[in-house]
Amino acid sequence: MQLTTEEGNSPLHVAVHDTGSTNMNDLFLQLTMIRLFLSHNFSIETVNKQGQSVLDVARLNSHSQVYSLIESKLPLSSRSRRTSIDYTQFP
């Protein structure tokens, strides 16, 4: 059984998308669902038809806690090397 959408998104791709909610309970449930998928060895390296990994989707469409959770599952050598925040990119 293949668990992907027509766009090639895995359940983890779908789970990391921003829910649009500002309710902390919704964020808690989203993080819980992501942890469940990760505990069952869903791959964060799966790439959808747009060539986006789960981390790419999280970076573009998620709460910072969701992105951090996904990033924490990468090998240290693959993690972004953020040493400071460039505040000039924000209006």
Side-chain angles (χ1 to χ4, degrees):
M1 174 192 294
Q2 188 169 358
L3 296 173
T4 58
T5 65
E6 282 186 21
E7 298 83 19
N9 291 315
S10 70
L12 206 45
H13 278 96
V14 174
V16 300
H17 267 280
D18 184 8
T19 63
S21 174
T22 57
N23 184 320
M24 291 309 289
N25 288 329
D26 292 341
L27 177 60
F28 174 78
L29 291 173
Q30 182 182 20
L31 290 167
T32 300
M33 182 171 47
I34 292 167
R35 285 185 187 102
L36 176 68
F37 288 147
L38 292 172
S39 73
H40 288 281
N41 299 316
F42 280 73
S43 176
I44 60 174
E45 297 176 6
T46 302
V47 176
N48 64 18
K49 290 182 180 177
Q50 289 88 23
Q52 297 172 320
S53 69
V54 172
L55 185 65
D56 293 331
V57 173
R59 182 182 302 114
L60 296 170
N61 300 302
S62 295
H63 189 280
S64 62
Q65 287 181 320
V66 171
Y67 175 79
S68 294
L69 173 60
I70 297 299
E71 187 182 43
S72 74
K73 301 304 177 184
L74 291 172
L76 286 175
S77 61
S78 299
R79 295 183 193 174
S80 65
R81 307 219 184 267
R82 294 178 295 193
T83 56
S84 64
I85 298 174
D86 178 9
Y87 290 102
T88 61
Q89 67 181 342
F90 299 105

